[in-house]
Amino acid sequence: MTGRTRHTRPAGRRHEDERASGGRRLPEELDGAAGSSALLARLMGGVPPRRLAPALLGVIMAGFVAQSMVDICTSTAGHVHLTSLMVDFLLIAGLQAVHCLPCAAGLRRRHGRWTLALQGALAFLPLYLAGWNTGAMMGFAGASLLLVPAGRDAWIGYGAFLLALAPTGPVLGMTPAASVYLVVANVLSSLVLYGITRLVELVDRLYEARSAMAAMAVEQERRRFARDLHDLLGYSLSTITVKCELTSALVRVRPEQALSELTDVLAISRQALADVRTVARGYREMSLLTEIESARGVLAAGGIRAQVDVSAPAPSGEANTVLATVLRESVTNLLRHSRAEVCRIEFTAEGPDVRLLVTNDGVPADRAGARENGTGLANLADRIAGVGGLLEVGVVEGTDCFRLSAQVPAQA
């Protein structure tokens, strides 16, 4: 065959959803882009508002700073000592904001190693150089060591933080109980800040994913509307055109038959209007066997002899609608673009699959090697790929016959 388009059988969107959910089958209403958006909305049912998470992080950071300042104020004598520690605390807290808040991500990427080194120095140098207790603010440096470096480096850095934190009590001359308390307080503060910061990042990513899913759902719906409008109305309008041409030829010689054709045109027009409303509402189920009978009548009205061979029962579910759509598009293209005299429609079973084969003898010689540039075949490819099917279209080599073969699972 020349001008051939072949679409191999993919796993399909449902199988992709199964893999994404760890092998569990997602509910039917959650398939596709709109379904993914609905699934994300369910997952976000307990997620805090986007602005609440950074606010919670800020409150926790402020609480640790206030706690450390209260501890220092009650245990430190001398204004210079107290003022120096307060300035040190504020600098450490400011650097922690750089390491935690989403709005500082750019600064963190460019200068993270330097801000991290400065924060560590502000947390530990007053302790080891002057014996000043910086309280829980050393935990800020520990949290930053988990946040700024990537992967294994983060946990190696946190291990170094624990080694530096362990001798804090003895260096300050604290009792064993107080030394243990200081270490535990800083470890807990570092882990709390790390966890809350990751929560803020997770909330941000969830909201970004929801926005992306919403955009995908809108695009998917736009494509569905365009595809269904083409598939449904293209067939109806082509049929109306053929019958109007036939009526024009019969109105003077066979007025009774012309009236009958006009009655059919009226019925098709009403059906087309109903189809438009259906497209606007959503999914529309179609029957392949009904479409075969309709195609037989339309082809006869266009002066094309139809040969129909149905040897398999109609498929169930989505496969039925997909094959009915394939047949509609085939007949529409035949009426618009070919000079066919005979069209053969075959529907057979092949193991667990069913196959629809449509052939006609109306390919013009000057189009034998041409490719179809319209949206019809692309729409069919999308539909058949969605149920894990196989599509082959093209001109039979050495002949003027055009052949379309669509094979899908009978239970798709």
Side-chain angles (χ1 to χ4, degrees):
M1 296 172 64
T2 61
R4 180 180 181 181
T5 302
R6 180 182 177 91
H7 299 268
T8 57
R9 184 192 304 268
R13 290 173 296 179
R14 294 182 182 177
H15 301 293
E16 291 172 3
D17 287 339
E18 288 180 30
R19 289 196 297 271
S21 59
R24 299 186 301 274
R25 178 69 174 274
L26 293 178
E28 297 258 347
E29 66 271 14
L30 296 184
D31 284 345
S36 299
S37 184
L39 176 60
L40 189 64
R42 287 188 182 182
L43 294 177
M44 294 187 68
V47 175
R50 192 168 191 172
R51 295 181 180 179
L52 179 60
L56 179 62
L57 175 60
V59 169
I60 291 174
M61 288 174 56
F64 281 127
V65 173
Q67 177 190 0
S68 296
M69 285 192 172
V70 169
D71 291 341
I72 294 302
C73 287
T74 58
S75 62
T76 299
H79 295 293
V80 174
H81 186 181
L82 180 61
T83 303
S84 299
L85 280 177
M86 286 187 173
V87 171
D88 186 57
F89 288 170
L90 293 176
L91 290 174
I92 292 173
L95 291 170
Q96 189 64 33
V98 172
H99 298 157
C100 290
L101 297 179
C103 59
L107 179 61
R108 193 160 56 241
R109 283 193 299 269
R110 292 191 299 272
H111 306 295
R113 65 177 65 182
W114 302 111
T115 57
L116 182 59
L118 178 58
Q119 187 184 41
L122 291 171
F124 282 94
L125 287 182
L127 166 67
Y128 287 99
L129 293 181
W132 293 353
N133 181 7
T134 53
M137 301 304 288
M138 289 181 288
F140 279 42
S144 296
L145 283 167
L146 289 174
L147 294 169
V148 177
R152 188 191 310 176
D153 292 343
W155 292 104
I156 293 175
Y158 192 71
F161 161 76
L162 295 178
L163 292 176
L165 185 62
T168 299
V171 168
L172 295 175
M174 293 181 176
T175 63
S179 298
V180 171
Y181 173 80
L182 184 63
V183 170
V184 172
N186 280 282
V187 169
L188 288 178
S189 65
S190 66
L191 294 178
V192 167
L193 286 171
Y194 170 73
I196 295 297
T197 302
R198 290 302 186 208
L199 173 63
V200 172
E201 294 176 358
L202 179 60
V203 170
D204 263 357
R205 290 179 183 177
L206 282 173
Y207 275 95
E208 289 172 2
R210 187 174 70 170
S211 298
M213 286 294 184
M216 288 174 59
V218 170
E219 175 62 17
Q220 185 76 7
E221 182 64 12
R222 186 194 66 79
R223 292 178 60 189
R224 181 200 67 80
F225 188 86
R227 182 186 64 194
D228 289 354
L229 199 63
H230 174 276
D231 292 343
L232 293 173
L233 289 189
Y235 177 84
S236 298
L237 294 177
S238 296
T239 304
I240 290 172
T241 300
V242 170
K243 285 189 171 289
C244 285
E245 291 174 349
L246 178 60
T247 302
S248 176
L250 293 175
V251 68
R252 294 179 181 174
V253 294
R254 297 179 185 174
E256 296 83 3
Q257 186 177 350
L259 181 60
S260 175
E261 295 294 338
L262 283 176
T263 302
D264 289 345
V265 168
L266 181 60
I268 295 169
S269 300
R270 288 172 175 166
Q271 181 60 50
L273 180 60
D275 288 343
V276 171
R277 292 170 178 165
T278 300
V279 170
R281 286 195 303 267
Y283 185 73
R284 177 181 188 266
E285 292 186 358
M286 298 169 63
S287 167
L288 174 62
L289 298 184
T290 299
E291 290 303 320
I292 288 176
E293 291 304 313
S294 176
R296 192 200 301 264
V298 171
L299 292 171
I304 300 170
R305 183 159 52 93
Q307 299 176 348
V308 178
D309 180 10
V310 177
S311 59
S316 61
E318 191 175 354
N320 200 11
T321 297
V322 168
L323 290 180
T325 303
V326 169
L327 181 59
R328 273 201 170 197
E329 180 64 23
S330 300
V331 173
T332 300
N333 287 340
L334 185 155
L335 294 173
R336 287 178 176 174
H337 307 303
S338 79
R339 303 168 185 170
E341 296 181 358
V342 178
C343 175
R344 180 167 180 80
I345 301 172
E346 300 178 52
F347 180 60
T348 58
E350 296 189 2
D353 297 346
V354 288
R355 182 186 184 193
L356 176 67
L357 180 65
V358 182
T359 57
N360 71 82
D361 61 352
V363 179
D366 59 350
R367 289 181 55 85
R371 297 294 300 269
E372 176 64 49
N373 294 322
T375 61
L377 293 179
N379 288 344
L380 296 186
D382 288 343
R383 288 181 183 272
I384 292 176
V387 295
L390 178 70
L391 175 67
E392 292 182 323
V393 293
V395 180
V396 179
E397 192 169 356
T399 71
D400 60 355
C401 291
F402 186 85
R403 179 178 179 272
L404 181 147
S405 172
Q407 185 170 329
V408 301
Q411 302 299 323

